[in-house]
């Protein structure tokens, strides 16, 4: 499974009239998840989120590409 | 400071009611002669209603303030007769660029699609827009503008609303059937009526400066996150008319607004910014400086009996996205025809609740988008900032991250898909023109007996209900179809039929034809021969069908007009 790097957010049953809407829906969820957390708690949430999503993706080759990409340029 | 603009002073005349002691009785009063109040007055006069406009000042907006007028607002201004003037004087632009530190990470084009009359955005100082609106209103016998007329009390009775109005020459009373409140974000009338407006104050301050300079910057919106010349904050650059540039610096909550407005403080900031382009020293002069904060909030309902709130008086958003004046003009667009139907006794007054229903829906969309932009531009926690910077860092190379960069989602009209006044589709259609959609424009040719005129679809519809009937050839329409199209009016509410055809053809049975020479209307509306669209006076889709059934069209008119 190749890494998807084009916009890929969507929600079943929703009609979008602007291309940015699904991405903004996700980003708002992400930021709201962190609302009122301490910096330490936020770090923990992020770590757990990565683990949960990594297991969901499952394919190690894809994850290897993603991990490498994330590390580049930091 | 330099002056590229001379503020007009409008003539203040003593109100005759001061000497006579009589109460002035009028059907509609609009309070506030800003872009939204003036737009409202023009909309109502297009509906044939006389309007009294009261304003506590005698000039236009001081400083450029509202700058960006979006495609839909320009289309509404076209209906009011000043769209062309605004577009000619203003600076049209479609491209926005976003920079993170030194690098451009993302750019967008507001109108990636050709064949629209109006551009994505026009930048124009608010005072020009107001001046054009005032001039238009002054040319209209049905509109009376009274300057330096300040409403000091409002009494809301069962059948009328009574205003006390203070002027330089004395006080008088006005009794009106309907009051439209367009008196801005601080809305004195909202306060007088003790009505709440709820939402969030954002703890941030922004410096805006209008700068006059000869610079060959392209007509684009440039937005910087964390630039070297203004670290950790954002900066926005817009080009306006007359070589005036708008620069917006984020300052942070702790900045002292009085201190920051001083030229000795502002000028070095601008110099540092201009120098960052190519190191050149550019000459410029300050024209106007202001420091602002903003709130994101709206009233629970925009209708309170005989009082209707429009524009900033009803809802306020952050400036990121140009959703203030643009959404206010769409309030006027939505309200004018409804008030007319109610006043003419053709619709129950509950139709005005649909104004609130539909514009609250639009306001919530504007609030959502502007709050999201604000959260991205000014992250409120360490985690939030880390995500923001990660998005910006990835954006240069990866499309998915570019889609997440949010430096303001620029004003687009709401699709009123949840409105209870739409008639839902009963047959499948593709595309965006769903019931509740603001109409997409398209190039057309209209032929009349004198010859042909090329034009735009949106110029052919509006101010009344219209039924578009798509056909391959107007000459082949049978008598039954022509008869049905000629008799779509319902309950005294006229419905103008219009044929849309790729073929030139003379009008049949008095029904005008618009020629869809490139087939773009049919394409954008997913139309086939026999397709019918019912359009509202505010250029929104009310209903559509694959074949003409006059009873169905009439039922949809009844629904859209609040009669069913």
């Amino acid at each position: 499974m190749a890494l998807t790097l084009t916009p890929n957010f969507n929600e079943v049953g929703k009609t979008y009239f602007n291309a940015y809407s699904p991405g903004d829906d996700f980003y708002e969820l992400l930021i709201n998840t962190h609302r009122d957390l301490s910096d330490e708690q936020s770090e923990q949430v992020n770590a757990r989120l990565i683990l949960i999503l990594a297991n969901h993706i499952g394919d190690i080759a894809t994850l290897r590409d993603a991990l490498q990409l994330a590390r580049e340029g930091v | 400071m330099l002056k590229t603009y001379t503020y007009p002073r409008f003539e203040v005349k003593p109100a005759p009611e001061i000497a006579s002691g009589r109460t002035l009785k009028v059907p509609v009063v609009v309070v506030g002669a800003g872009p939204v109040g003036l737009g409202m007055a023009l909309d109502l006069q297009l509906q044939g209603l006389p309007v009294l406009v009261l304003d506590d000042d005698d000039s236009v907006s001081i400083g450029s303030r509202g700058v960006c007028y979006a495609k839909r607002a320009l289309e509404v201004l076209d209906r009011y007769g000043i769209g062309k003037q605004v577009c000619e004087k203003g600076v049209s632009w479609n491209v926005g660029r976003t920079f993170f530190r030194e690098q451009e990470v993302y750019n967008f084009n507001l109108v990636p699609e050709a064949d629209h009359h109006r551009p994505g955005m026009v930048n124009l100082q608010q005072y020009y827009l107001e001046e054009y609106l005032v001039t238009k209103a002054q040319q209209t016998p049905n509109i009376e503008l009274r300057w330096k007329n300040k409403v000091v009390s409002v009494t809301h009775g069962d059948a009328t609303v009574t205003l006390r109005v203070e002027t330089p020459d004395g006080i008088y009373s006005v009794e009106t059937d309907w009051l439209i409140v367009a008196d801005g974000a601080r809305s004195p009338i909202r306060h007088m009526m003790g009505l709440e407006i709820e939402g969030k104050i954002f703890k941030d301050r922004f410096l805006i400066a209008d700068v006059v300079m000869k610079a060959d910057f392209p007509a684009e919106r440039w937005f910087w996150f964390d630039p070297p010349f203004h670290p950790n904050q954002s900066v926005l650059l817009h080009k306006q008319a007359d070589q005036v540039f708008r620069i917006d610096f984020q300052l942070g909550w702790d900045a002292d607004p009085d201190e920051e407005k001083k030229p000795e403080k502002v000028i070095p900031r601008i110099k540092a910014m201009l120098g960052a382009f190519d190191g050149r020293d550019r000459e410029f002069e300050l024209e106007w400086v202001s420091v602002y904060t903003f709130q994101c909030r709206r009233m629970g309902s925009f209708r309170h009996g005989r009082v209707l709130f429009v524009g900033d008086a009803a809802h306020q958003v952050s400036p990121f996205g140009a959703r203030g004046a643009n959404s206010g003009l769409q309030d006027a667009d939505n309200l004018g025809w409804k008030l007319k139907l109610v006043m003419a006794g053709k619709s129950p007054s509950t139709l005005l609740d649909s104004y609130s229903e539909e514009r609250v829906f639009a306001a919530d969309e504007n609030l959502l988008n502007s709050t999201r932009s604000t959260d991205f531009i000014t992250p409120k926690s360490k985690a939030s900032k880390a995500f923001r910077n990660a998005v910006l860092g990835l954006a240069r190379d990866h499309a998915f991250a570019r889609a997440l960069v949010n430096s303001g989602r620029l004003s687009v009209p709401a699709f009123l898909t949840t409105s209870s006044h739409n008639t839902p589709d009963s047959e499948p259609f593709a595309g965006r023109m769903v019931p509740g959609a603001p109409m997409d424009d398209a190039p057309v040719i209209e032929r009349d007996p004198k010859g042909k005129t090329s034009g735009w679809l949106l110029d052919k519809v509006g101010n009344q209900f219209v039924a578009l009937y798509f056909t391959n050839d107007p000459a082949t329409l049978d008598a039954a179809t022509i008869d049905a199209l000629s008799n779509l009016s319902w309950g005294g509410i006229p419905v103008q039929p219009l044929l849309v055809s790729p073929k030139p053809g003379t009008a049949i049975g008095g029904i005008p034809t618009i020629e869809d020479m490139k087939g773009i209307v049919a394409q954008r509306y997913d139309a086939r021969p026999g397709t019918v669209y019912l359009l509202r006076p505010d250029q929104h889709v009310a209903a559509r069908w694959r074949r003409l059934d006059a009873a169905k069209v009439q039922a949809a008119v009844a629904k859209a007009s609040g009669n069913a």
Side-chain angles (χ1 to χ4, degrees), chain B residues 346-380:
Chain B
K346 293 176 183 172
S347 290
S349 66
T350 48
L351 178 61
L352 299 173
D353 294 329
S354 83
Y355 158 70
S356 184
E357 174 201 325
E358 292 179 349
R359 294 311 298 166
V360 160
F361 174 82
D364 283 345
E365 192 173 288
N366 284 322
L367 284 162
L368 176 75
N369 279 302
S370 94
T371 303
R372 285 172 171 183
S373 299
T374 307
D375 282 341
F376 193 89
I377 292 165
T378 63
K380 283 154 200 69

Side-chain angles (χ1 to χ4, degrees), chain B residues 80-100:
Chain B
Y80 299 162
I82 63 157
K84 185 164 178 262
Q85 217 177 350
V86 168
C87 290
E88 281 173 0
K89 180 68 185 175
V91 176
S92 294
W93 63 276
N94 285 309
V95 173
R97 297 187 189 281
T98 301
F99 304 85
F100 179 44

Side-chain angles (χ1 to χ4, degrees), chain B residues 270-288:
Chain B
I270 296 170
K271 274 196 170 152
M273 174 189 169
L274 295 175
F277 289 116
D278 49 16
R280 263 173 59 195
D281 218 8
R282 284 185 173 77
E283 274 186 47
F284 65 89
E285 291 220 42
L286 278 181
E287 183 159 79
W288 176 68

Side-chain angles (χ1 to χ4, degrees), chain B residues 272-386:
Chain B
M273 174 189 169
L274 295 175
F277 289 116
D278 49 16
R280 263 173 59 195
D281 218 8
R282 284 185 173 77
E283 274 186 47
F284 65 89
E285 291 220 42
L286 278 181
E287 183 159 79
W288 176 68
V289 176
S290 180
V291 172
Y292 70 87
T293 57
F294 60 81
Q295 309 197 18
C296 287
R297 54 183 194 168
R298 72 158 167 88
M299 297 175 76
S301 171
F302 298 168
R303 179 188 176 201
H304 290 266
R306 295 183 165 274
V307 183
L308 297 140
F309 290 82
V310 293
D312 280 359
H315 46 77
Q316 294 140 41
V317 295
S318 81
F320 307 112
R323 288 165 183 270
N326 284 305
S327 67
L329 285 167
Q330 291 168 69
D331 291 345
D333 191 35
N334 190 289
L335 179 55
W337 64 275
K338 292 178 179 174
L339 190 56
K340 166 68 180 188
L341 286 178
V342 171
M343 289 173 72
K346 293 176 183 172
S347 290
S349 66
T350 48
L351 178 61
L352 299 173
D353 294 329
S354 83
Y355 158 70
S356 184
E357 174 201 325
E358 292 179 349
R359 294 311 298 166
V360 160
F361 174 82
D364 283 345
E365 192 173 288
N366 284 322
L367 284 162
L368 176 75
N369 279 302
S370 94
T371 303
R372 285 172 171 183
S373 299
T374 307
D375 282 341
F376 193 89
I377 292 165
T378 63
K380 283 154 200 69
S381 68
K382 200 177 153 192
S384 189
K385 189 162 188 176

Side-chain angles (χ1 to χ4, degrees), chain A residues 5 17 24-25 27-28, chain B residues 372 387-388 400 409 432:
Chain A
L5 292 168
F17 295 100
D24 284 3
D25 286 349
Y27 199 81
E28 183 182 25
Chain B
R372 285 172 171 183
F387 279 120
R388 201 280 304 271
F400 86 94
R409 302 301 192 196
R432 292 154 53 89

Side-chain angles (χ1 to χ4, degrees), chain B residues 202-494:
Chain B
F202 284 84
K203 291 202 161 182
D204 212 332
R205 291 183 206 280
F206 297 81
L207 169 77
I208 39 177
D210 279 353
V211 172
V212 189
M213 64 179 162
K214 285 219 158 54
D216 48 2
F217 302 140
E220 296 176 346
R221 175 192 196 256
W222 289 358
F223 192 102
W224 289 265
F225 290 101
D226 192 15
F229 57 85
H230 193 56
N232 294 315
Q233 310 277 29
S234 65
V235 178
L236 176 61
L237 175 73
H238 267 299
K239 186 176 185 179
Q240 308 178 83
D242 305 334
Q243 292 294 326
V244 176
F245 289 81
R246 158 71 68 82
I247 307 173
D248 188 320
F249 294 95
Q250 183 190 4
L251 295 176
W253 184 241
D254 296 330
D256 176 346
D258 292 322
E259 197 59 30
E260 293 292 344
K261 269 189 275 193
K262 291 181 179 164
E264 60 264 37
K265 193 89 180 164
V266 178
I267 287 168
R269 287 198 191 283
I270 296 170
K271 274 196 170 152
M273 174 189 169
L274 295 175
F277 289 116
D278 49 16
R280 263 173 59 195
D281 218 8
R282 284 185 173 77
E283 274 186 47
F284 65 89
E285 291 220 42
L286 278 181
E287 183 159 79
W288 176 68
V289 176
S290 180
V291 172
Y292 70 87
T293 57
F294 60 81
Q295 309 197 18
C296 287
R297 54 183 194 168
R298 72 158 167 88
M299 297 175 76
S301 171
F302 298 168
R303 179 188 176 201
H304 290 266
R306 295 183 165 274
V307 183
L308 297 140
F309 290 82
V310 293
D312 280 359
H315 46 77
Q316 294 140 41
V317 295
S318 81
F320 307 112
R323 288 165 183 270
N326 284 305
S327 67
L329 285 167
Q330 291 168 69
D331 291 345
D333 191 35
N334 190 289
L335 179 55
W337 64 275
K338 292 178 179 174
L339 190 56
K340 166 68 180 188
L341 286 178
V342 171
M343 289 173 72
K346 293 176 183 172
S347 290
S349 66
T350 48
L351 178 61
L352 299 173
D353 294 329
S354 83
Y355 158 70
S356 184
E357 174 201 325
E358 292 179 349
R359 294 311 298 166
V360 160
F361 174 82
D364 283 345
E365 192 173 288
N366 284 322
L367 284 162
L368 176 75
N369 279 302
S370 94
T371 303
R372 285 172 171 183
S373 299
T374 307
D375 282 341
F376 193 89
I377 292 165
T378 63
K380 283 154 200 69
S381 68
K382 200 177 153 192
S384 189
K385 189 162 188 176
F387 279 120
R388 201 280 304 271
N389 288 349
V391 167
L392 292 169
L394 288 163
R396 204 167 55 95
D397 294 323
H398 303 294
F400 86 94
R402 284 196 282 281
L404 295 173
V405 173
N406 188 344
S407 68
R409 302 301 192 196
L410 293 163
S411 177
V412 283
F415 281 67
L416 306 173
T417 51
T418 61
S419 172
S420 56
H421 293 261
N422 297 337
T423 298
D425 285 341
S426 50
E427 295 123 318
F429 276 89
R432 292 154 53 89
M433 291 297 101
V434 298
M439 288 177 68
D440 266 349
D441 204 359
V444 298
I445 289 179
E446 187 180 26
R447 284 170 197 271
D448 56 30
K450 292 174 202 125
K452 71 170 188 181
T453 50
S454 68
W456 297 91
L457 176 64
L458 290 183
D459 291 336
K460 309 296 174 204
V461 301
N463 302 323
Q464 60 180 340
F465 281 94
V466 168
L468 292 184
Y469 183 83
F470 289 81
T471 176
N472 271 340
D473 185 355
T476 61
L477 284 192
D478 58 48
T481 304
I482 290 167
D483 186 58
L485 284 170
S486 308
N487 292 290
L488 295 173
S489 302
W490 179 90
I493 301 170

